[in-house]
Amino acid sequence: MLFKLFKKKKDDLENDDHYLTLRIRETVQETLDTVTIYFDQPEPIMDYLPGQFLTLIVEIDGKQERRSYSLSTSPFVDPFPGITVKRLEGGLVSNFVNDTFVPGKRVTVMKPLGNFTSDYHSHNKRKYGMFAGGSGITPIMGIIKSVLVNEPKSTVHLLYCSRSQDMIIFDKELKALEEKYPDKLFVTHNLTQPKPGWEGAEGRLSQEKVTEFFTTHFDSFLENQRFFICGPEGMMKTAQEGLSNMDVKKEFIHSESFYLEKEESAEEENLGAVVNRPIKLILEGEEYTFDVEPGKTILEAGLDEGLNMPYSCQSGLCTACRGKLLSGEVKMEEDAGLSENEIKEGYVLCCSAKPTNSEVKIQID
Ligand SMILES: Cc1cc2nc3c(=O)[nH]c(=O)nc-3n(C[C@H](O)[C@H](O)[C@H](O)COP(=O)(O)OP(=O)(O)OC[C@H]3O[C@@H](n4cnc5c(N)ncnc54)[C@H](O)[C@@H]3O)c2cc1C
Ligand code: FES
């Protein structure tokens, strides 16, 4: 019975425009705990923007699991798209990928999604500031390569935080890029637990380090500067606050979170106390009506109904489950993935939204 259910879902995905099956072409061990998986380009080719992510859909012990992984390649430079996956201690999918993904294997993914990107125009004359921590280098790598090849008048300064010398992902590739673009790419490494002999910056990223990096390479109030931040939560917060202290406008700071520690909020408890709410969901042109039980999100209720709703991280970060609120009201526990404009335009994240009245109607394209 379980097998039948999974089979039905899998067939649905294969016939659904939002999904693709990719064949693994090559795997490259980047560090002891991190691998890059390159895929053959499918027919028709998979378009993506640098910095976007794929959602892997894998079956582990009979259960379907989904996780987002940023493309670390650039569509302007790399012939084959690739993702780079770091093992997380005890992590289900990251270890599964590192242990079982081999050339020839086929993998179901959701088509690329995400807004963590730039415009890569040859007229741009910008200064880019990149703050990366650990596996947070993956989307930033694709963005850096795309800027270097497309924007001859722009420069990139990367501050990259890793644990130790041997944990630096893309160390060789970054050195090769620095050699190829000596006047355009400048990489500063910061290690939290360096091995003896390290002469660079060490310790956690601090406000002082962000200020020093900023005042050395950037100026407050300039309009041609763009900042990209991706890494562990604490590191991202430090970089964001540091830039804001330097009066960098919010619209010039782009952030991508891989993971947020969940806090139980009072609001969540209140939401859990409400009665069943009927909602209307328009999914690919079809309208469905179903109840959302107290404590459940709209995504959970829709999946319980057997609807093939798009989703990935299930924590409000990736926007795979984004829909437009046409009427009614919802409360979201987490909306970090949505831009201010998307919120203004009425977009909500179904994985995090719970209806607070009975008028809710959401459209998912
Ligand atoms: C938009 C987006 C892009 C991403 N891109 C990448 C990428 O390019 N490379 C990459 O390696 N990962 C990336 N991630 C993270 C990835 O999706 C998974 O969260 C990660 O691989 C852990 O999954 P898991 O199944 O191994 O761990 P799980 O089994 O899901 O989690 C195990 C435990 O670790 C905690 N946890 C989960 N994720 C993290 C985390 N990232 N940091 C700390 N604790 C965590 C969980 O709460 C749980 O307790 C991205 C995430 C998002 C939302
Ligand atoms: S599934 Fe990622 S934001 Fe909802």
Side-chain angles (χ1 to χ4, degrees):
M1 182 62 186
L2 256 180
F3 172 74
K4 263 194 173 163
L5 270 177
F6 180 72
K7 185 87 179 79
K8 181 176 174 293
K9 274 191 184 167
K10 199 162 175 253
D11 288 346
D12 287 344
L13 300 189
E14 277 169 10
N15 295 320
D16 189 314
D17 260 5
H18 294 94
Y19 302 87
L20 280 173
T21 301
L22 298 178
R23 183 183 173 280
I24 297 174
R25 180 184 180 83
E26 191 190 357
T27 61
V28 174
Q29 199 67 42
E30 303 288 354
T31 65
L32 217 54
D33 66 357
T34 303
V35 68
T36 295
I37 314 287
Y38 290 99
F39 299 103
D40 280 328
Q41 268 292 8
E43 267 300 325
I45 70 157
M46 181 181 79
D47 280 327
Y48 66 98
L49 295 170
Q52 285 194 310
F53 62 88
L54 293 178
T55 301
L56 293 190
I57 302 169
V58 292
E59 191 193 353
I60 303 178
D61 297 333
K63 195 168 167 264
Q64 191 191 91
E65 301 287 345
R66 298 184 179 210
R67 298 288 186 280
S68 316
Y69 291 102
S70 304
L71 287 142
S72 50
T73 45
S74 160
F76 303 109
V77 178
D78 299 298
F80 304 106
I83 55 170
T84 302
V85 180
K86 184 177 165 73
R87 285 182 192 271
L88 189 74
E89 208 181 320
L92 194 59
V93 177
S94 58
N95 286 293
F96 181 77
V97 169
N98 272 269
D99 291 336
T100 69
F101 275 28
V102 288
K105 183 170 173 155
R106 289 179 186 276
V107 188
T108 304
V109 302
M110 275 179 84
K111 283 184 181 169
L113 287 168
N115 306 320
F116 189 64
T117 191
S118 184
D119 56 358
Y120 318 102
H121 199 289
S122 59
H123 293 163
N124 287 344
K125 193 177 174 185
R126 288 186 183 149
K127 276 186 177 184
Y128 288 90
M130 311 280 183
F131 294 86
S135 58
I137 190 67
T138 49
I140 286 184
M141 193 66 187
I143 296 170
I144 290 177
K145 289 198 264 186
S146 307
V147 169
L148 292 175
V149 79
N150 284 318
E151 300 187 12
K153 296 179 209 134
S154 295
T155 55
V156 181
H157 291 270
L158 166 67
L159 178 56
Y160 183 16
C161 304
S162 309
R163 192 178 305 158
S164 57
Q165 290 89 323
D166 53 348
M167 301 286 269
I168 300 175
I169 304 169
F170 304 131
D171 193 19
K172 278 195 196 135
E173 210 176 340
L174 283 168
K175 279 191 182 119
L177 284 174
E178 276 188 298
E179 275 170 26
K180 188 169 175 189
Y181 299 98
D183 305 323
K184 282 162 57 78
L185 176 65
F186 306 90
V187 180
T188 306
H189 289 286
N190 181 90
L191 302 181
T192 48
Q193 294 170 28
K195 302 229 159 77
W198 177 249
E199 290 175 357
E202 57 183 278
R204 287 189 172 276
L205 187 69
S206 61
Q207 294 292 339
E208 292 71 31
K209 285 179 184 165
V210 176
T211 307
E212 191 192 332
F213 180 71
F214 185 89
T215 49
T216 312
H217 307 297
F218 300 91
D219 299 289
S220 295
F221 310 116
L222 285 185
E223 297 281 308
N224 69 336
Q225 303 179 137
R226 299 289 180 278
F227 297 91
F228 288 82
I229 306 172
C230 187
E233 202 175 344
M235 178 241 130
M236 290 185 64
K237 208 164 163 242
T238 305
Q240 282 155 347
E241 285 173 4
L243 291 176
S244 144
N245 292 342
M246 296 288 113
D247 294 315
V248 178
K249 284 189 188 162
K250 248 182 160 181
E251 71 230 52
F252 297 150
I253 305 175
H254 305 270
S255 302
E256 181 87 308
S257 293
F258 285 180
Y259 177 74
L260 292 179
E261 291 287 343
K262 271 209 170 140
E263 282 168 30
E264 287 292 324
S265 67
E267 209 162 65
E268 194 177 336
E269 282 160 28
N270 291 342
L271 283 172
V274 298
V275 293
N276 275 11
R277 299 279 191 201
I279 74 149
K280 288 188 166 61
L281 186 81
I282 303 170
L283 186 61
E284 288 170 17
E286 294 279 328
E287 186 172 302
Y288 303 90
T289 303
F290 56 92
D291 279 353
V292 181
E293 286 172 28
K296 284 208 167 165
T297 64
I298 289 169
L299 175 70
E300 285 166 338
L303 294 177
D304 285 351
E305 288 292 309
L307 299 182
N308 194 1
M309 289 172 71
Y311 71 94
S312 178
C313 71
Q314 287 184 270
S315 46
L317 297 175
C318 76
T319 71
C321 63
R322 195 186 80 154
K324 193 154 191 176
L325 187 66
L326 303 179
S327 65
E329 278 179 18
V330 300
K331 283 263 184 196
M332 280 187 280
E333 286 153 27
E334 183 56 68
D335 63 1
L338 290 174
S339 66
E340 273 176 26
N341 272 348
E342 286 174 311
I343 293 172
K344 269 187 217 147
E345 286 168 25
Y347 284 100
V348 295
L349 299 174
C350 294
C351 72
S352 150
K354 295 173 182 174
T356 53
N357 66 18
S358 301
E359 313 301 320
V360 171
K361 188 172 181 178
I362 291 176
Q363 179 167 353
I364 297 181
D365 296 326

